[in-house]
Amino acid sequence: MAYRWTNDLTHDDVTPKATFLNRRQIIAGLAAGSVAGSLLPQGAAAQEGLTPNSFDDITNYCNFYEFGTRKEDPARHAHMLTTAPWSIQIDGLVDNPGAYSLADIKSKMTIEERIYRFRCVEAWSMVVPWNGFELADLLTLAGVQSGAKYVAFETVLRKDEMPGTRFPVLDWPYVEGLRLDEAMHPLTLMATGLYGQDMPNQNGAPIRLVVPWKYGFKSIKSIVRITLTDSEPPTSWNKANGREYGFYSNVNPTVDHPRWSQATERRLGGGLFAKRIATPMFNGYEAEVASLYTGMDLTKFY
Ligand code: MTE
């Protein structure tokens, strides 16, 4: 690992005091791991003064097609998913392949709070206080082999617990992928909760990916398998519609979705008439991640 993510901002800088104290009390009750201070990127996102969306907003307006395609479906149906016990199969080009129990993983990882901007491809956005650990730490535990270039992820598929999977909306199971350097980047989080609580089922319990500089669909939920590969893995939305959804899917206000502009967004919770705000390059994390894409034509590798 090259470096860890560090920042000198705290909740005092970004949220009203009352919210801060409140959340601290919640976090004090966190069982697993240690909670380091709140972390924020130094770039545009930090300057914006991030106020997290409410727990209600974050948990009632979701995309989790395994439970239905409407935003309210996951909150209604995801309770059907059994999330314990849970393990993740880590395989492919790793030194230590096998089934890793989530309890065991969590006992070895540092659980931190990360307040991240989250930008959905449909041009709405929110700010989420995630709890989680760096994916890099888990990959290091598994022992990445030198031939590995990509990381493939897979969501659990249980037709009896996931009513949406009875319909061929997507080619199940939901799959996603990252280039290895993206996966190892300190911003890339394996989230196990939000607002200091265990991950709500509708948000991808018990463990999901969060890649804050990419559109939301890269943040695959309820992960049961991670495979290190030497070739670019398939991704669900790219398979469904490759013209609209590329492998990289970096937030980029200058590259429009074929059917709408990506230049602006509406922050969730602002009501129907919420003002549109400009979407920053790489969702505000340009200073941190732009170097991963030096020399690449981002209109081609969208
Ligand atoms: N993961 C799975 N397994 N299935 C999905 O349908 N939807 C994606 C992503 N991860 C999805 C998924 C999309 S389109 C978005 S925008 C985010 O989850 C939404 O995360 P949230 O509901 O926690 O806001």
Side-chain angles (χ1 to χ4, degrees):
M1 221 179 345
Y3 62 101
R4 293 199 69 83
W5 190 247
T6 52
N7 194 288
D8 52 12
L9 288 177
T10 72
H11 268 120
D12 281 327
D13 299 303
V14 293
T15 53
K17 193 89 177 172
T19 324
F20 168 63
L21 290 173
N22 206 342
R23 189 155 336 103
R24 256 224 310 225
Q25 281 153 11
I26 299 170
I27 289 166
L30 250 192
S34 65
V35 178
S38 163
L39 300 160
L40 268 176
Q42 307 274 5
Q47 285 154 25
E48 187 191 326
L50 293 178
T51 304
N53 279 85
S54 70
F55 185 82
D56 269 7
D57 276 352
I58 297 168
T59 55
N60 286 300
Y61 194 82
C62 298
N63 274 337
F64 200 167
Y65 275 22
E66 287 88 334
F67 297 100
T69 55
R70 289 171 305 181
K71 306 291 176 212
E72 64 275 18
D73 285 338
R76 199 172 292 157
H77 302 301
H79 65 88
M80 296 168 71
L81 182 68
T82 315
T83 59
W86 194 270
S87 66
I88 303 179
Q89 175 73 25
I90 307 184
D91 55 19
L93 300 172
V94 290
D95 293 333
N96 313 305
Y100 288 70
S101 92
L102 182 59
D104 190 41
I105 291 173
K106 282 171 97 170
S107 75
K108 294 192 168 93
M109 299 287 137
T110 306
I111 309 281
E112 301 170 356
E113 180 174 75
R114 299 282 181 96
I115 301 176
Y116 281 168
R117 303 169 97 252
F118 189 74
R119 170 65 155 79
C120 193
V121 73
E122 293 158 304
W124 50 269
S125 64
M126 41 185 190
V127 176
V128 185
W130 302 107
N131 307 105
F133 56 87
E134 293 183 10
L135 172 60
D137 288 349
L138 180 59
L139 296 180
T140 301
L141 189 71
V144 179
Q145 294 183 348
S146 59
K149 295 194 177 72
Y150 294 89
V151 187
F153 303 86
E154 193 175 304
T155 294
V156 70
L157 174 56
R158 293 190 201 132
K159 288 211 156 66
D160 48 335
E161 295 185 2
M162 303 170 116
T165 61
R166 294 173 205 152
F167 307 95
V169 187
L170 289 171
D171 183 15
W172 313 112
Y174 195 101
V175 291
E176 256 306 336
L178 294 173
R179 219 171 52 191
L180 184 61
D181 57 347
E182 299 175 324
M184 296 297 281
H185 193 281
L187 276 174
T188 303
L189 203 68
M190 290 294 272
T192 54
L194 54 88
Y195 268 115
Q197 305 180 20
D198 281 347
M199 189 67 75
N201 278 17
Q202 59 266 41
N203 295 93
I207 186 163
R208 53 119 20 116
L209 184 68
V210 179
V211 194
W213 71 95
K214 294 179 180 282
Y215 291 115
F217 63 89
K218 297 295 284 184
S219 292
I220 180 173
K221 295 174 167 178
S222 306
I223 295 168
V224 287
R225 189 171 181 192
I226 298 176
T227 309
L228 280 287
T229 69
D230 59 3
S231 56
E232 190 181 286
T235 69
S236 282
W237 284 101
N238 181 255
K239 282 196 289 183
N241 189 340
R243 208 175 74 83
E244 298 190 0
Y245 307 106
F247 176 79
Y248 285 93
S249 301
N250 291 317
V251 173
N252 189 338
T254 70
V255 176
D256 288 340
H257 184 281
R259 289 184 280 140
W260 59 78
S261 162
Q262 292 291 33
T264 63
E265 66 197 57
R266 272 206 183 88
R267 186 63 49 80
L268 212 70
L272 215 63
F273 302 104
K275 70 173 171 21
R276 288 196 159 266
I277 52 177
T279 294
M281 187 66 194
F282 295 114
N283 203 27
Y285 302 96
E286 184 172 19
E288 293 81 14
V289 302
S291 62
L292 298 177
Y293 309 102
T294 307
M296 282 176 69
D297 179 354
L298 296 180
T299 61
K300 199 167 151 223
F301 297 99
Y302 54 94

